[in-house]
Amino acid sequence: LETGPCGLSKEIGISKEEALEALQVVRQECHGDAARTAGGSGATRKCTALELLEEEQAQGFIITFCSALDNILGGGVQLTKITEICGAPGVGKTQLCMQLAVDVQIPECFGGVAGEAVFIDTEGSFMVDRVVDIATACVQHCQLIAEAHREEDHLKALETFTLESILSHIYYFRCRDYIELLAQVYLLPDFLSEHSKVRLVVVDGIAFPFRHDFEDLSLRTRLLNGLAQQLIIIANDHKSAVVLTNQMTTRIGQSQSTLVPALGESWGHAATVRLIFHWDNSQRLATLYKSPSQKESTIPYHITSHGFRDVQPPAVTQNAEDTEMNPRKRPRREEEK
Amino acid sequence: MDWDQFDLNPKVIAALKKADIKSIKEILNLSGADLQRLMKLSSADIQCLLKTVSYALRRNSMLTALQLYQDKDHLTSQHQKLSLGCSVLDNLLKGGIPLVGITELAGESSAGKTQISLQLCLCVQYPYKYGGLESGAVYICTEDVFPSKRLQQLIDQQHKLRADVPAEIIQKIKFGNSIFVEHAADLDTFHNCITKRISLLLTRGMVRLVVIDSIAALFRCEFGVSDSVMKARYLQTFGAQLHSLSTRFRTPIMCINQKLLSAVVGKNLSCFLYSVVGNRVSPALGITWANQLLMRLMVSRISQPEPSPGAASHHTGSVRTLRVVFAPHLPPSFCYYTVTLEGVKGIK
């Protein structure tokens, strides 16, 4: 399997076409075996809505460390969904992406999904020194919790949850134009099969490579739609959250102009969840603009040297630590009637 | 494109040649269904084709964040930055100007933008050890005449500004020889400048810094309010070209922008991105340009120098502020500086 068709044809002395066909048969056999043992995640299957609901509720969330944002999202950035973050330059989109690339790795005993992250950077704004700050703060936070609770599994998890380990599990791809981005997304499914612990794919930003170079806007729309389709499949098949950042652009109306997310109306359908980050004087705000299950709301957030945070840190009591770090252990509260 | 060199089924190669497909870009621009129709192949064959060409384009493109962090090679490392020639200013920027991306320096007139840019043109010529890039700079003037007299003054005083560098190293550098001045007063000349002349200088390794003084001047006269769509398109194209050059040659691009300050601004940093009154937004060189930037810095004069005991007596010139408006790796922060005979110096 590893020799490749050219090598194989030379070695055995068969034509290249025969070699390719032989390899295809062998590969199908292997995949068939794997599919039978794994239960065939790619195959179509019938299930009831109840099964889907249960599956969805069991899906993990990646927390953002800003509890207000996690709350309006229903727990955090959801796996198997595409979340889009729109906003003007400097408002914090890349900061949240870097925070999520760290938070996805939080061990399960601390309320995380213990995953790895793929970070596709089209703008060159991924500054590793900043990720180091964020990761260090996250490790410290977990250490504080471990000290407060003194449980075996917490201490054991901390042995492998270190700065080096976090950095080594962020897989970074730099795409310099839309062709490289398209190619990278074609290769993602195989990469994710090889790195099955990945639970987050970030594309920062999706708009940048598509906003110049396109005389033919219909080509752009078609390519973006194709990209969205592939990302939806990836999110589902690999149980990963896909997070995209988008720019804002000015829509010039009859009497006034407004800021809207870039890439046009049809792109608006690509993401399941859409967040818009914006300013109100010097306060940063996040608005949940589109979500299938949560209502539209706006919350303030803060960006500190440690990363993405709430505006007022929650009261530092044991209970607060619990609810912040262990969403699964959060007791069910009565919703407003 | 020689399709034979790819690891593809010969019938796919034949179909590619028959359909007259000449590049990977053409393949990726087409959807799976279009490719099937065009090449009359099965969907499995097309998937295989897409993966093979994607792999050819992107093999070995992955790095882990740990590798990025541990990379200390000055040719590739993210830690390498272009120093401003002053430790106080460098500390504000955590090392200096990042090498890949467009950095904007905005502010009112006479705040010191040109001074900082001239200083950078000299800093870039120092060895890597002293925060430079061992190469020259290209300075594009779009409205004023290049301040050559001031440049000469700065060159003569380098030994005073850069006390951290041994005198014999400073003497060896022929500063004037490595600064290339271009004039481009309109968009066409500017476009020509970027695509032909600057590319050439960069390819030959003669420059590792591009300064554009100023980007706003290019757009001021030629576009009225109703042409904002056209203006946006030019800005995006130029931004993309500059960004591409910066990435290919690991060369910082410094764009000077003149912001027209209105009384509304004050402490309102968001006004530099777009001004919002309720839901209404006034398009300016604003958001379209801001979307292309890696980092935005702002300089301003403060009306009265801060009376700090002791230190104030040395600074008879007016004190100015250098502020980080946004950057992916820096918090919004600022520091004070003055412009002296030998250049721009931060105040602790």
Side-chain angles (χ1 to χ4, degrees), chain B residues 159-175:
Chain B
H159 58 281
K160 270 210 199 135
L161 181 75
R162 302 301 301 266
D164 56 312
V165 183
E168 58 271 14
I169 295 190
I170 302 186
Q171 268 164 13
K172 270 200 224 139
I173 306 179
K174 302 224 169 3
F175 291 105

Side-chain angles (χ1 to χ4, degrees), chain B residues 106-122:
Chain B
E108 65 209 55
S109 59
S110 333
K113 305 186 290 298
T114 305
Q115 301 302 312
I116 295 179
S117 310
L118 289 175
Q119 187 149 315
L120 277 173
C121 290
L122 299 175

